[in-house]
Amino acid sequence: MKELKAVDICGKLRNVLLINDKVFKIHSVFDTAANLICNDIFFTLLSDMRCLYPMSGRVLDNLSFTKSGIREGMDVITSGNRLTIPNADMIVNLEDALECDLSFRKHTGLFVPKDLSVKVELLKKLIEVKGCEFDLSTLVTGKYQNPYSQFIMKKLPGLNEAIKKKDIQAGEHAEGLAGCGIGLTPSSDDMLLGYISAFLADTKAKGNDCEEIYKITYAMGNKAAKRTNTISGAFLKQCGMGLLSQDMTGFLCTIYSDAETEILEKSAERILNFGSTSGTDILTGVVLAIVNLNGL
């Protein structure tokens, strides 16, 4: 059997895999990612070209999953730190993988910078350059209109008001926005992911990090997940729990610090490169949340 070694792994995923041996199914396969599912547990194997995501592990060798022999529907047997894929003649060894805590709760030292409005304007310009007629960039640029953005525009005020009030009803509003738009992860889901992430960061920067906020984001992620597909729903649930990718965490920490705009631009561009429209929609959600929470 071919053995692949994992370079790092989300700490929450390692804990889940070590609890009991399970049989997962390959849910979907892409060039740099393979998604696995068992009941309500969803996780991802990533190429080491990608940054680490919540509930994921990255494997060495710059692997192309589509060329590896892994196919949708195959069984994956987990046993401790080993994943065995019999029909692909493959083992993934997680034993020496660096365990990473991707919880946003652990990050300290965030604050609202004096130049927050300047940073927001920079992000708007980046969104305008990368935005297209099919995404939700018009929500911050006004440049394009499409049926998806028009639908979101009608629904967004309710979410904004609930978030300002720190109201648990934000979950219901998130559910009403989910599943709208193009892409493997619909545009409104990506927008919500950015919005929830920025809400967490802004709250922490203002010294209000507390369990009540996580109850709201948890409700947003779980309610929205009901209205979309499995992959997108899993990402929303993870975000609602305060689990963010390494790139997203770095980006938010750059906003809520005294980092110079040049550094912010480089960090934002990494997010913008997610998928075809996902990055633009995520940044759109970030800007919408910051503007709403800071009256910009």
Side-chain angles (χ1 to χ4, degrees):
M1 278 194 172
K2 180 178 181 180
E3 180 172 306
L4 300 175
K5 289 187 177 293
V7 59
D8 51 20
I9 186 171
C10 168
K12 183 173 178 60
L13 173 58
R14 187 192 286 282
N15 291 337
V16 168
L17 294 178
L18 290 176
I19 291 173
N20 289 300
D21 295 348
K22 301 177 181 66
V23 177
F24 285 78
K25 290 282 187 182
I26 299 291
H27 174 274
S28 44
V29 183
F30 306 94
D31 192 44
T32 60
N35 296 309
L36 294 81
I37 192 167
C38 176
N39 298 325
D40 61 343
I41 303 172
F42 183 95
F43 76 92
T44 306
L45 293 176
L46 294 167
S47 161
D48 58 1
M49 295 174 60
R50 305 275 296 272
C51 75
L52 191 65
Y53 278 64
M55 294 297 284
S56 77
R58 297 192 309 142
V59 297
L60 292 170
D61 297 334
N62 222 358
L63 177 70
S64 169
F65 289 98
T66 53
K67 298 176 181 178
S68 68
I70 298 175
R71 297 289 182 268
E72 291 181 17
M74 284 185 175
D75 287 341
V76 181
I77 303 165
T78 69
S79 179
N81 280 308
R82 294 167 74 86
L83 310 178
T84 304
I85 313 174
N87 290 340
D89 201 29
M90 183 182 296
I91 292 173
V92 181
N93 189 338
L94 307 172
E95 186 173 0
D96 296 325
L98 175 66
E99 186 173 310
C100 301
D101 181 1
L102 297 184
S103 173
F104 199 73
R105 292 171 183 252
K106 71 174 184 177
H107 291 278
T108 59
L110 275 65
F111 60 89
V112 179
K114 293 180 180 179
D115 65 344
L116 182 62
S117 61
V118 175
K119 289 181 173 179
V120 168
E121 290 305 312
L122 170 62
L123 295 178
K124 287 181 178 180
K125 290 178 182 177
L126 294 174
I127 291 169
E128 184 171 11
V129 170
K130 187 71 184 289
C132 69
E133 59 184 311
F134 304 112
D135 60 26
L136 299 181
S137 59
T138 188
L139 297 176
V140 296
T141 68
K143 189 173 180 180
Y144 297 106
Q145 291 288 340
N146 59 56
Y148 310 122
S149 61
Q150 291 170 354
F151 173 81
I152 299 300
M153 282 179 183
K154 295 176 182 178
K155 298 275 189 176
L156 192 58
L159 176 64
N160 283 339
E161 188 62 24
I163 289 296
K164 277 187 191 178
K165 294 179 178 179
K166 308 295 188 292
D167 188 343
I168 196 71
Q169 287 299 313
E172 306 295 334
H173 291 288
E175 182 178 1
L177 288 165
C180 176
I182 64 170
L184 178 66
T185 54
S187 290
S188 66
D189 297 353
D190 291 325
M191 184 272 289
L192 282 170
L193 190 146
Y195 197 113
I196 294 170
S197 300
F199 177 39
L200 287 170
D202 193 89
T203 301
K204 183 176 278 287
K206 292 171 180 172
N208 299 320
D209 189 27
C210 64
E211 290 305 315
E212 289 303 313
I213 298 301
Y214 283 98
K215 287 179 182 177
I216 295 171
T217 60
Y218 184 84
M220 291 174 71
N222 276 267
K223 291 283 188 180
K226 295 178 180 179
R227 290 285 298 273
T228 190
N229 62 58
T230 301
I231 296 175
S232 197
F235 292 162
L236 284 164
K237 286 181 180 180
Q238 292 160 8
C239 183
M241 294 167 62
L243 298 172
L244 308 183
S245 73
Q246 290 175 327
D247 278 349
M248 194 65 184
T249 293
F251 169 58
L252 292 169
C253 288
T254 302
I255 295 175
Y256 289 97
S257 70
D258 58 4
E260 297 180 356
T261 53
E262 291 82 359
I263 298 174
L264 174 62
E265 184 170 357
K266 290 180 180 178
S267 184
E269 285 175 348
R270 284 196 287 273
I271 306 298
L272 283 169
N273 287 328
F274 290 177
S276 57
T277 61
S278 287
T280 308
D281 290 324
I282 289 170
L283 248 64
T284 294
V286 169
V287 169
L288 289 172
I290 295 174
V291 168
N292 180 47
L293 290 164
N294 294 277
L296 299 178

